[in-house]
Amino acid sequence: MKVVAVSYLNTVPFIYGIERVSPLGRLSLSLAVPAACADILKKGEADIALIPAAEVLQIPNYKVITDYCIAAEGAVDTVALLSNSQILDIKRIYLDADSRTSVLLVKILAKEYWGIEPEWVDGIPLQIKEGEGVMAIGDKVFEMEKVFAKKWDLAHEWQQMTGLPFVFAVWVATTERGKEFEDELNEALKVGVENIAASIPAKYDFQKAYNYLINNIKFNLDEPKRESLKIFWEKIITPG
Ligand SMILES: C=C(O[C@@H]1C=C(C(=O)O)C=C[C@H]1O)C(=O)O
């Protein structure tokens, strides 16, 4: 069975769990940026995927499985609007092509929370001018944020607006896998989430990665997160 998951630091506990406790010994795992994970699942090239929350409704016969997700309760740190201008002065926002969910999230926040109507441009350019901002996700934010005076953490802003956590990605299956399989996948993910320190690959600054995975990323898909997901889906189906 083919599984595809997001290739960022925030999924390393899941990867660790799946690699050690591959459910029923029959999962083969590959990694991709969030936008590509959704495309791979849509094309039927994977059976199960960790996909951006915004893409779930577009997957035929989708079923959200497992008790796990990529979410934040307050600041997430790696999903941000970066700029050198004040929020009300931002007239153009560039959008990270790796993202599906955060592209919609930043548009909701612009309209409903910040009250701005910028021009939206796909892709991140090399240089950002006054009056412009860039929405970026994933590990690259750790580097990009150093050169901007301002950072709006999109999960923090969502929490300010709704009082809820924000769910960035969930596990989705396209065909019924049965309870036994789902229980085993849950168990594998649980092993990862309970062994965060061991799951961090050597290429990362350990302390920074550990703090991020413990403090910023929340892995349990609990009731407030399911509620938040419903609200986000309603907003993207009927914008405004
Ligand atoms: C929190 C993050 O969430 C990611 C952001 C996504 C998106 O914007 O579409 C999708 C999946 C998540 O892995 C991150 O990568 O920093």
Side-chain angles (χ1 to χ4, degrees):
M1 199 176 306
K2 289 193 186 129
V3 182
V4 60
V6 176
S7 52
Y8 297 148
L9 170 60
N10 51 41
T11 55
V12 301
F14 290 158
I15 295 162
Y16 179 91
I18 289 173
E19 283 175 348
R20 267 161 200 73
V21 196
S22 179
L24 308 175
R26 52 192 163 91
L27 292 191
S28 80
L29 178 68
S30 58
L31 303 176
V33 298
C37 287
D39 290 342
I40 291 166
L41 190 65
K42 271 193 215 156
K43 280 192 220 144
E45 290 167 7
D47 308 285
I48 294 165
L50 180 65
I51 65 161
E55 287 286 316
V56 174
L57 304 181
Q58 318 221 357
I59 308 284
N61 304 318
Y62 76 84
K63 184 176 176 207
V64 175
I65 56 166
T66 87
D67 300 327
Y68 295 93
C69 65
I70 299 292
E73 296 164 3
V76 64
D77 218 16
T78 49
V79 178
L81 172 63
L82 303 167
S83 178
N84 289 317
S85 302
Q86 303 291 337
I87 196 80
L88 295 177
D89 295 332
I90 298 179
K91 304 277 183 274
R92 178 182 293 135
I93 296 179
Y94 295 97
L95 300 165
D96 189 337
D98 291 351
S99 167
R100 290 280 193 263
T101 298
S102 309
V103 163
L104 295 173
L105 176 57
V106 73
K107 289 182 177 176
I108 291 170
L109 290 169
K111 188 168 183 183
E112 297 185 25
Y113 191 57
W114 302 319
I116 56 172
E117 286 184 31
E119 176 195 352
W120 302 102
V121 181
D122 290 333
I124 301 179
L126 288 174
Q127 288 246 296
I128 310 277
K129 299 201 242 3
E130 275 303 306
E132 296 183 338
V134 56
M135 189 287 294
I137 70 163
D139 303 0
K140 60 175 124 30
V141 175
F142 293 129
E143 287 306 312
M144 283 180 68
E145 66 185 5
K146 293 178 187 162
V147 299
F148 288 95
K150 298 202 165 285
K151 175 182 182 183
W152 291 270
D153 186 302
L154 299 196
H156 169 78
E157 300 288 301
W158 172 265
Q159 199 201 34
Q160 295 291 328
M161 186 172 91
T162 63
L164 291 167
F166 189 79
V167 181
F168 288 94
V170 289
W171 289 94
V172 167
T174 48
T175 39
E176 184 55 55
R177 295 288 160 195
K179 185 166 174 359
E180 191 191 357
F181 173 81
E182 283 190 29
D183 288 349
E184 291 213 24
L185 181 57
N186 251 332
E187 193 50 39
L189 300 176
K190 182 163 177 252
V191 165
V193 170
E194 286 174 353
N195 288 281
I196 285 179
S199 75
I200 299 171
K203 69 171 177 172
Y204 289 101
D205 170 338
F206 179 81
Q207 202 52 51
K208 198 173 174 200
Y210 184 76
N211 290 345
Y212 169 71
L213 292 170
I214 295 284
N215 298 328
N216 297 110
I217 300 298
K218 302 294 167 191
F219 297 101
N220 288 314
L221 185 52
D222 55 17
E223 260 323 301
K225 297 198 191 75
R226 289 179 194 272
E227 173 66 20
S228 175
L229 205 47
K230 264 198 242 157
I231 292 173
F232 179 65
W233 283 340
E234 279 163 18
K235 287 186 186 296
I236 63 178
I237 295 170
T238 41

